[in-house]
Amino acid sequence: MNTTTTDTTIPRTGSDFALLSRRVSAAGLMRRRPGYYVLRFLLVGASAAATVVGFFLLGDSPWQLLLAALAAVVYGQVALLAHDVAHRQVFRTRRPAAITGRILGNLGIGMSYGWWMEKHTRHHANPNHEGLDPDVEPGALVWTGEQALSTESGRFGRFVHRHQAALFFPILTLAGIDLRRSSVRGLLGQRGATVPLRWLELALLAVHAIAYVTALSLVLPPGLALAFFAVHQGLFGLYLGSIFAPNHKGMAMPTERLDFLRKQVITARNVRGGAFTDGLLHVALGGLNHQIEHHLFPSMPTPNLREARPVVREFCAEIGVPYHETSLGRSWAEALGQLRRAGGPLR
C-alpha cells in the first residue's frame, strides 16, 4: 500500500478541487488526444473484425473455445471504449458521443448505452455512498454487514452472502449476462422512460442478440455453441469485474457530507504495476487503474491520466488527503476483505 498524508497547508483562493483543477489544466492534461483515439479505435476494430472472420473460418472446431476467450477480451476493450466515449473523452458534444456509444454498447456488445450512462452518472456523483451509488446496492453481493442482515434474499441468497468472498470470482462470470438483463429491464422500467431513444436502444439490443445467436446456430453444432457461449460470456464478465472491482471495493463508504475532491479521492484506489507491468495494466484496464484521477476528471482522455497522477498525488499530500494506490494483487485482497467482513454477520 502506498498512502501519502501530510498536514502541510497551502494558500487558498477557491475550493481544493478548483486549485487542483487549475494545476491540471495548466499542465495541459485536459487537452483532447484525437490521434490516440483514432489508433485505439482502429486496433479494437481490427481485433473485432479478425475475431468475426476467425469464427467463420474455424467452423466446427474445438479451437473455437480459444477464440471465445479472445472474443471476451475484445468485448471488454469495446466496453472500455464505450466508457471513454460516454465520458466525452473522445467527442466534445453529446450527439456524436451518443451515436458512437450506441454502436459500441448496444450493437457491439449488447448492453444499453443510455441505461449504463444513467447508472454510471449516479456512481460518479456519489461513489461508495450507500443508497446513492447503484454499484454498492445489495444484490447478488452485499457490501456491509447491515445489508447482509437486512436483505431478504432467501436461504440460497443468505448462503451466497455468507460465502461471497470465496464465491466472488465464480459470480463474476455471470456479470456480463446480468448487466445485459439489467439494461433491458432498465429500459423497460420507470427509469428507462428518461433514456433518450430507448426504443432505438432496445431495437439495437435485439439486433445484437439475434445476430449473435444466429451465428452460433449456423456455424457450430449445439454442444459447441453452448460451450462457446459459456466461455465467451463467462470470461467477459470476469474481465469486466477485474476492470471495475479493484477500483472502489474495500475503500471507504462515507456517511458524512464531503466536498467533491475528498468524496472522489478517499473512495477510490489506484492500481500500480512495476516498471514492466504498468503499461500492460494501463492497456488491460483501459486506464482505469488510475481511478482517482479518472473520478476527479472524468472527461480527461485516458492517456493523460497517468501524467496527471503525480500532480494529483502531490496536491493530496499538500492538503492532507489520503491518496491510496497499491498493487493489483493487494487491491483484490482489500476488495475480498470487504466482502468477507460484510458476510460475517451471517456466519
Side-chain angles (χ1 to χ4, degrees):
M1 181 176 72
N2 192 347
T3 305
T4 305
T5 307
T6 72
D7 294 324
T8 306
T9 60
I10 60 176
R12 298 175 185 277
T13 57
S15 70
D16 287 333
F17 178 71
L19 292 170
L20 174 60
S21 185
R22 286 199 287 270
R23 290 191 189 182
V24 167
S25 296
L29 296 172
M30 296 305 296
R31 291 198 195 108
R32 301 285 167 173
R33 298 288 296 270
Y36 165 83
Y37 279 108
V38 167
L39 178 61
R40 188 168 160 193
F41 266 90
L42 288 174
L43 290 174
V44 173
S47 300
T51 302
V52 172
V53 171
F55 174 80
F56 285 102
L57 289 178
L58 279 175
D60 183 2
S61 166
W63 287 104
Q64 289 280 15
L65 298 184
L66 176 60
L67 187 71
L70 296 175
V73 176
V74 172
Y75 261 44
Q77 288 294 315
V78 172
L80 286 169
L81 262 183
H83 171 272
D84 286 11
V85 167
H87 279 297
R88 306 284 183 85
Q89 296 175 23
V90 183
F91 305 102
R92 290 183 183 276
T93 56
R94 183 187 300 272
R95 182 175 173 78
I99 292 172
T100 307
R102 291 187 182 108
I103 292 172
L104 293 171
N106 297 59
L107 202 57
I109 59 174
M111 190 183 304
S112 167
Y113 170 80
W115 166 83
W116 181 86
M117 274 279 291
E118 190 274 338
K119 172 179 177 291
H120 197 60
T121 298
R122 287 189 287 136
H123 161 69
H124 266 266
N126 293 285
N128 270 21
H129 285 62
E130 191 175 355
L132 298 173
D133 180 358
D135 290 353
V136 292
E137 290 180 359
L141 302 169
V142 291
W143 307 104
T144 67
E146 291 77 11
Q147 287 182 352
L149 292 174
S150 63
T151 303
E152 297 180 4
S153 50
R155 182 176 299 178
F156 178 73
R158 287 194 297 273
F159 172 83
V160 171
H161 294 158
R162 189 180 304 126
H163 304 287
Q164 61 182 5
L167 295 172
F168 183 60
F169 289 105
I171 289 172
L172 280 187
T173 62
L174 302 174
I177 295 172
D178 183 64
L179 282 169
R180 292 184 181 88
R181 179 188 65 85
S182 296
S183 70
V184 172
R185 289 183 61 184
L187 288 175
L188 294 174
Q190 194 171 15
R191 281 189 180 274
T194 65
V195 176
L197 301 176
R198 65 167 172 164
W199 294 109
L200 173 61
E201 292 219 6
L202 285 165
L204 292 174
L205 292 178
V207 170
H208 173 88
I210 291 170
Y212 187 92
V213 172
T214 301
L216 289 182
S217 303
L218 291 178
V219 175
L220 304 179
L224 187 56
L226 287 174
F228 184 99
F229 177 86
V231 172
H232 182 208
Q233 299 301 328
L235 292 182
F236 173 52
L238 192 61
Y239 185 26
L240 279 184
S242 299
I243 292 170
F244 291 103
N247 301 329
H248 295 283
K249 307 313 178 191
M251 295 300 294
M253 296 184 66
T255 56
E256 70 277 19
R257 187 178 180 85
L258 299 171
D259 66 282
F260 178 80
L261 184 143
R262 285 163 179 79
K263 181 191 293 185
Q264 303 300 333
V265 174
I266 70 171
T267 60
R269 74 163 64 80
N270 280 8
V271 177
R272 296 282 291 169
F276 298 103
T277 59
D278 200 51
L280 180 61
L281 266 179
H282 184 83
V283 172
L285 303 182
L288 296 182
N289 51 315
H290 298 96
Q291 187 71 190
I292 295 173
E293 289 71 30
H294 170 62
H295 259 256
L296 287 169
F297 304 99
S299 62
M300 180 182 288
T302 291
N304 293 353
L305 295 172
R306 183 165 18 185
E307 299 175 44
R309 172 187 167 269
V311 179
V312 173
R313 184 177 174 181
E314 178 185 354
F315 185 82
C316 287
E318 290 176 6
I319 64 173
V321 173
Y323 180 102
H324 183 43
E325 60 181 6
T326 188
S327 67
L328 182 62
R330 181 62 188 169
S331 72
W332 277 115
E334 292 174 4
L336 292 173
Q338 180 186 13
L339 289 172
R340 194 173 295 110
R341 291 190 297 275
L346 296 178
R347 291 195 293 276

